[in-house]
Amino acid sequence: MEQLMFEYNASKKVSRRAHVGVAGSGDLEILIEPCQELRAYVVIRTQSNGFEETWKAVLDRFFTIYDLAVSIEINDFGATPGVVSLRLAQAVEVLQS
Amino acid sequence: MNHIYLKHSFIELNAREKAAAVLDPDTFREILGPFDRLESPHLALQSIVPQSDDGVVIARGFINGDSAVVIAIEGDFQGGGIGEVSGAKIAAALEQALKDNEGGIRTRPVLLLETGGVRLQEGNYGLLAIAEIQAAIVSLRRYVPVVCVVSGMIGCFGGMSITAALCTTLIMTRQGRLELNGPEVIEQEAGILEFDSRDRQLIWSTVGGEQRFETGFADTLVSDDVAEIYEAVRDACQREVSLEARSSQVERFLSRLAVIDPSTPVDGSLLRTLWGRDQKEDVSHTEERLRRLEEVWLQTETNDVLSRGRKWFEALTGVTKSEKGGAPSVLCADASLGEEYVRYISVVPNPANRFPRARHGEVGLDEGWTIARYVRDTIQADQDGKRRAIVAIVDVPSQAYGYREELLGIHLACAAAADAYASARLAGHPVIAFLVGNAISGAFLAHGLQANRILALDDPDVVVQVMSQKSAARVTRRCIEELEEVAAKIPATAYDIRSFASLGSLHELLEDVAADEPAQSDIDTVKRKIINTISEVRSSARDLSNRLVSDHAQKGRAASIEVRVRLAAQWNS
């Protein structure tokens, strides 16, 4: 298991929180909550060590698109980058629903 | 989550969606949800990623307008394994539902079980939690039907199959499986000729939902359909509170076992002709069959293996030959102890056991049902007088691992024993477990873990755990050295009795008693301790709440306690 942390500048506040996914094989669990500052914090615990670059690329892209001031917690059990992006998009959908 | 009817398959829903799907529409309210962050404190220490709800969803809501709690296990997280937090969430929810019912509020409990059983990474935490879950179900069942759904695709295994068997009504799909020992474990322990774990057809024709329904182990067979399961749960909730749960029907199931000849092969389809739903079960047949079975048992009686279980039974009772008419591998005798009259029960090896997989002191089919019979005889005999104490002498290496055992419902045999002990405890019999040797897994759940108090000899060969170290290593893909390293950090995964004692569920560890060759002074010490414990039990609560109050428990099971406190706070909010 490896723990990773990322931070981004963000401009859009959110008012809700969202929970999607499960820390099961090939999948991940995401918890998103509003962040008081105009920043985004991401804490990841992943079962697959050594993929920091990949996570950074996926998250860079996510925050370029959404720009949300949120705290994100991810519990990952070997999800592929595609699955991670889908789950993040799903979480945003829940935030906005 | 409000549009559950759009989705057809129940199996494909996640635990949260499943819980919402059995509640009245739009009444789902989750307690101890992901943002409460009650995750396992033990997984990250072992480099395993935890999950924010520890894989169990507790949902309040309504069923047909009645208050309800739905407990759903997420099979995709760690195979639905029961750890300290996930187990405590289930136990605490059932305990709150019990409190409601005792106070006149009819809160209906529904369990959606998708679980491999105890989460091996948390060992005895899971075992203790399952015992507490089972205790709550047996209590709750007196007020309201406890409904269980095993929909698949994981199925319901290990100690949780015993839990399912204790419920008032069991609903299954064809995809669901119900068995104590998984096929892989049986193959490991007994060889591929016993059970080929790759043969899917064999597995489902032995322990699959349809087979379980056709042979009387499940009440309702449903298809994998949300609407059908929604209705089946409501039907089950409307039923009368059954005083005769399946696991309480000792004579009936023993007479079913009487028609089985373990020396000839039996398979799923043959069993359907022997135990099929359309077979008439005549009461006069029951008695005749039981007599025949008792004859068979008499002929296979041997007493040439001096196990600790036998030695301590003889030491405490003064009886060398048990004559109560049950399987000879279960010793039973009544003896005076101070001012008390006590029934002692011990499971011992019988090399001539008619079931070959239960010859080394395991709790098998005959053993589970015989224990249940001996305990229930006591309840019945004492119902108008002083409830005599029952002492379970525990020296059980495991439950019996075998194809026949699974086919013939060893999960239910273990449930019958656990049910009987729990019922005795609730009826006011002080039940004491006295650990003199192995206390492993399903065998310990059946014989010991429902006791009011647990006493143990402080001896290196007194062992409490879920699975042998070898099997645990295979299942969790770690080497023995790694397991030992983990055990040093997390005492619940260790095997020795002192580690178990640090979890706070042990009433007393008896030091300086010779476990193998007890002298008279040792026997007197033990007797004194048992007398003291019985008298303490007579004036205390009949549930298992005392397991969480000791100083050891405050520390060793802090998470189990926290879960209960926080769940109670959210129950009605």
Side-chain angles (χ1 to χ4, degrees), chain B residues 118-285:
Chain B
V118 170
R119 183 185 292 162
L120 288 177
Q121 291 86 352
E122 303 190 26
N124 287 333
Y125 281 126
L127 204 59
L128 287 169
I130 291 176
E132 286 152 14
I133 291 166
Q134 294 175 350
I137 290 175
V138 174
S139 283
L140 198 46
R141 224 174 49 190
R142 299 174 300 167
Y143 297 95
V144 66
V146 180
V147 180
C148 175
V149 182
V150 177
S151 62
M153 287 302 293
I154 300 276
C156 184
F157 294 84
M160 290 304 276
S161 69
I162 301 175
T163 301
L166 288 167
C167 294
T168 315
T169 303
L170 179 53
I171 299 166
M172 292 185 76
T173 66
R174 283 187 175 77
Q175 291 87 338
R177 286 178 290 171
L178 177 67
E179 66 177 306
L180 183 55
N181 305 298
E184 289 82 2
V185 179
I186 297 174
E187 189 183 305
Q188 272 164 32
E189 299 279 342
I192 196 164
L193 290 177
E194 181 69 29
F195 207 148
D196 182 350
S197 67
R198 289 163 309 175
D199 188 340
R200 294 171 64 84
Q201 201 182 344
L202 173 72
I203 292 168
W204 263 268
S205 71
T206 308
V207 299
E210 187 178 347
Q211 175 72 15
R212 289 312 199 193
F213 173 68
E214 292 295 341
T215 51
F217 292 109
D219 301 276
T220 311
L221 184 68
V222 291
S223 50
D224 172 27
D225 177 70
V226 168
E228 212 175 301
I229 290 173
Y230 180 89
E231 287 307 324
V233 167
R234 268 151 194 76
D235 283 351
C237 283
Q238 291 314 319
R239 273 178 214 161
E240 295 286 307
V241 176
S242 160
L243 292 173
E244 275 266 287
R246 187 179 282 104
S247 52
S248 313
Q249 298 173 19
V250 178
E251 305 284 294
R252 178 175 161 231
F253 278 89
L254 267 177
S255 82
R256 290 187 357 149
L257 278 180
V259 301
I260 300 296
D261 175 4
S263 63
T264 61
V266 57
D267 63 9
S269 60
L270 176 59
L271 193 68
R272 287 193 194 195
T273 65
L274 293 172
W275 291 4
R277 285 184 300 126
D278 47 0
Q279 298 294 308
K280 283 210 183 68
E281 290 187 45
D282 194 328
V283 182
S284 61
H285 284 168

Side-chain angles (χ1 to χ4, degrees), chain B residues 259-400:
Chain B
V259 301
I260 300 296
D261 175 4
S263 63
T264 61
V266 57
D267 63 9
S269 60
L270 176 59
L271 193 68
R272 287 193 194 195
T273 65
L274 293 172
W275 291 4
R277 285 184 300 126
D278 47 0
Q279 298 294 308
K280 283 210 183 68
E281 290 187 45
D282 194 328
V283 182
S284 61
H285 284 168
T286 305
E287 282 170 20
E288 186 212 309
R289 284 171 182 171
L290 279 176
R291 268 199 307 277
R292 266 200 338 248
L293 183 57
E294 284 168 9
E295 272 307 303
V296 172
W297 280 335
L298 266 179
Q299 285 158 13
T300 59
E301 171 135 29
T302 59
N303 59 356
D304 47 4
V305 180
L306 261 184
S307 67
R308 277 192 183 176
R310 180 178 287 277
K311 282 183 203 163
W312 278 99
F313 176 83
E314 291 178 359
L316 292 170
T317 63
V319 171
T320 53
K321 196 165 164 58
S322 166
E323 285 171 6
K324 301 279 181 196
S329 44
V330 183
L331 306 180
C332 177
D334 298 299
S336 294
L337 181 65
E339 290 176 359
E340 293 282 351
Y341 190 54
V342 178
R343 169 155 290 198
Y344 295 90
I345 300 175
S346 184
V347 182
V348 298
N350 174 13
N353 195 315
R354 68 186 191 122
F355 287 101
R357 294 282 161 210
R359 287 181 175 162
H360 307 285
E362 297 92 344
V363 174
L365 294 156
D366 283 353
E367 290 72 24
W369 287 109
T370 295
I371 293 170
R373 194 183 194 189
Y374 288 158
V375 174
R376 289 201 176 273
D377 285 350
T378 320
I379 301 175
Q380 193 158 16
D382 295 356
Q383 59 183 344
D384 298 319
K386 185 178 181 184
R387 269 68 163 169
R388 98 190 78 154
I390 303 172
V391 174
I393 299 169
V394 182
D395 177 21
V396 282
S398 68
Q399 61 274 24

Side-chain angles (χ1 to χ4, degrees), chain B residues 16 30-38 52-53 58 89 570:
Chain B
R16 210 156 267 113
E30 182 168 5
I31 56 177
L32 298 189
F35 290 98
D36 287 295
R37 292 188 167 78
L38 273 169
S52 60
D53 58 13
I58 308 292
K89 283 173 81 171
Q570 293 184 17

